[in-house]
Amino acid sequence: MSSNPVAVQSMTRAEYQTLVERGCAGPVTAIPDTPGLEGWRAQFPDWRARNWTFTEDERGVLRLAPVNLTRQRNTRAA
């Protein structure tokens, strides 16, 4: 695991709720306390340690990943 911190994925509560309803996200309390969670805390220092989601890696494999919820999606003009 890399020692460089990585930006944690963010999504709106509505996006998260849709994923929860599909079984693709949930609260951290649904995951047994494992070394993986400690690794997330080290790799993603900005993670609020409350929620997770599945993300697709470069080979198309779904993996658990930490996620933070936001009130709304930030849209900035380029």
Side-chain angles (χ1 to χ4, degrees), residues 45-74:
D46 294 335
W47 180 46
R48 295 183 196 112
R50 294 182 189 141
N51 303 295
W52 61 269
T53 188
F54 283 111
T55 59
E56 191 173 334
D57 71 8
E58 63 278 351
R59 292 177 276 165
V61 176
L62 292 178
R63 304 210 182 265
L64 283 174
V67 65
N68 285 334
L69 303 185
T70 62
R71 290 183 185 201
Q72 61 186 359
R73 182 70 69 188
N74 289 337

Side-chain angles (χ1 to χ4, degrees), residues 16-47:
Y16 173 76
Q17 190 58 40
T18 299
L19 291 174
V20 168
E21 291 168 4
R22 294 179 180 167
C24 296
V28 169
T29 56
I31 302 173
D33 196 24
T34 65
L37 291 178
E38 289 305 317
W40 284 355
R41 288 181 181 102
Q43 187 177 6
F44 303 97
D46 294 335
W47 180 46

